[in-house]
Amino acid sequence: MQRKISLPAAIVLILLAALLTFQITYVTMVNRYKNEVQMLTASQSAYEKLNYVDALYRSYYVGDIDEEELSDYLIRGYIAGVGDKYASYMTADEFSAYMQESSGEMVGIGIHIIYNNELGALEVISVMRDSPALEAGVEPGDLIVMVGDEYVSDLGYYPAVDKMLGDLGSVAQFTVRRGKNYEEIKEFSIIREKVTDTTVETNLYGGDIGIIRITQFAENTGESVKTAIADLTAKGAKSLIFDVRYNPGGALTGIVDTLDFLLPEGPIIRIVDKEGNVESIDSDAACFEIPMAILVNESTASAAELFTSALQDYELATVIGTTTYGKGTMQTVVSLPDGSGLSISYRMYNPPYSDNYEGIGVVPDIELPLEDALLEKNFYKITYDEDNQLQTAVKILRGELTVAQANAGK
């Protein structure tokens, strides 16, 4: 005798059968690909593994694949995996904007930045005088964590920089973190203007000490430094203070020309490639002999560190301040066939005689941070008389204080 099954019971049985079929199919597929994954041996390259993953996605992924976006992310992922913390990939549009900026078109808000890889942010190294950023209250040490509504850590260095750029009269919107542990958050909306980036600024202090502030090393900085020294000595300067605090570095030509004028015969820089080959760029015998001091801080980076270390190696200057940033690599920017670009760290640059300072920084002869009260002020508004680092340099140059006494806290 046959038993009739109610409609609800039949539906339940059908669903159970379908679920069982799905589970069997799923388990079979998973086991199949587990076996195939196990076939990937240690000898197979990362590219074979990537091709395998790509094939899986093209076979099973239910969404659409944007080939251009996939390519961009693959390259950025490669850079992250390599660990080149100064490298960046630029799309064709980003690379075009970068080249325009490098050509000297100066429309912006007036800041120098470096990528803080550890915190995934744009770190403001210095703020140009008479700039929209200075007027708005942007300060050295600020971390730009968002540009518009996008995080810098998601964008990457060059895309974030590209978003900071814009046409004359447009508005740059970004968010910074500052203060102790970067707990303070501040949002900015600044109108982009034409800005003039003068890399060398001078003053005569007390009638006998020339102060030369170098904001970065551009192609013409060497000539500007020569002119500055000639002008200051003509006015009575008997010694010089070079202020490279918040100097992010710059062009190789600019730093070599500057040091060639100041150094005696011997190496200026030793450039080392990945094979260990060393290329030395040397100074001629002509040099400018005058007592010198250099002011540095944790935002003195790259070529500014070479400037400091070279004069320190030749024992031509007393270095005062805090340990520098620690960037001892050179980057080259390569144009890719599709118009995009890639910045690659491809050389190490060593000082004349001392070791490379990548990740270490240059240690001053006199370790002396700015006084706490000064840290609360805009750096450019600190006067010479209240600047304890500069005043220590003045005393050293005038013979009123020795390095040993300064380090002993006298």
Side-chain angles (χ1 to χ4, degrees), residues 50-201:
L50 181 59
N51 286 333
Y52 179 80
V53 171
D54 184 60
L56 282 178
Y57 258 85
R58 294 187 187 281
S59 296
Y60 293 101
Y61 180 49
V62 295
D64 296 324
I65 296 177
D66 185 322
E67 299 293 345
E68 185 176 348
E69 185 173 7
L70 175 62
S71 175
D72 291 344
Y73 273 96
L74 283 173
I75 296 172
R76 290 191 173 112
Y78 182 94
I79 292 171
V82 167
D84 184 355
K85 63 182 180 179
Y86 302 116
S88 281
Y89 167 73
M90 295 167 276
T91 65
D93 289 342
E94 292 161 357
F95 185 59
S96 176
Y98 166 80
M99 294 304 292
Q100 289 178 7
E101 178 71 8
S102 299
S103 69
E105 296 181 10
M106 295 296 291
V107 172
I109 62 172
I111 57 176
H112 295 125
I113 57 176
I114 195 168
Y115 190 61
N116 188 315
N117 186 67
E118 181 181 356
L119 299 176
L122 302 178
E123 183 173 351
V124 179
I125 298 295
S126 60
V127 184
M128 299 178 195
R129 290 186 182 276
D130 303 318
S131 67
L134 183 64
E135 181 68 24
V138 179
E139 300 176 358
D142 280 352
L143 289 182
I144 300 175
V145 293
M146 294 184 70
V147 183
D149 58 357
E150 295 184 88
Y151 285 97
V152 172
S153 56
D154 293 335
L155 289 166
Y157 177 65
Y158 285 109
V161 170
D162 184 47
K163 287 181 68 67
M164 288 293 294
L165 302 175
D167 296 329
L168 182 68
S170 61
V171 177
Q173 295 182 316
F174 56 98
T175 304
V176 308
R177 284 185 172 272
R178 63 167 58 148
K180 186 177 180 181
N181 298 320
Y182 300 108
E183 293 173 351
E184 182 183 348
I185 299 175
K186 188 170 179 62
E187 295 182 352
F188 288 94
S189 294
I190 303 176
I191 297 175
R192 298 179 178 94
E193 301 175 8
K194 289 184 178 179
V195 293
T196 302
D197 190 10
T198 303
T199 63
V200 177
E201 302 170 356

Side-chain angles (χ1 to χ4, degrees), residues 235-344:
K235 291 178 180 177
K238 306 300 181 187
S239 56
L240 297 172
I241 296 175
F242 289 101
D243 188 352
V244 291
R245 292 174 292 185
Y246 297 106
N247 182 320
L252 179 63
T253 302
I255 183 61
V256 168
D257 288 349
T258 304
L259 286 172
D260 186 26
F261 178 67
L262 297 172
L263 299 181
E265 186 173 6
I268 296 174
I269 180 175
R270 294 171 294 133
I271 302 172
V272 185
D273 67 17
K274 65 174 297 182
E275 305 298 333
N277 300 311
V278 181
E279 174 192 354
S280 179
I281 300 177
D282 297 336
S283 173
D284 57 26
C287 66
F288 189 82
E289 297 185 44
I290 192 171
M292 292 179 280
I294 306 173
L295 304 181
V296 298
N297 66 4
E298 60 279 359
S299 293
T300 300
S302 194
E305 291 176 284
L306 176 64
F307 175 81
T308 303
S309 189
L311 288 170
Q312 196 177 48
D313 280 359
Y314 282 93
E315 299 182 350
L316 294 176
T318 302
V319 181
I320 301 160
T322 55
T323 300
T324 61
Y325 185 85
K327 182 180 182 294
T329 60
M330 298 173 65
Q331 286 69 46
T332 184
V333 177
V334 181
S335 175
L336 302 181
D338 65 348
S340 58
L342 188 65
S343 170
I344 308 172

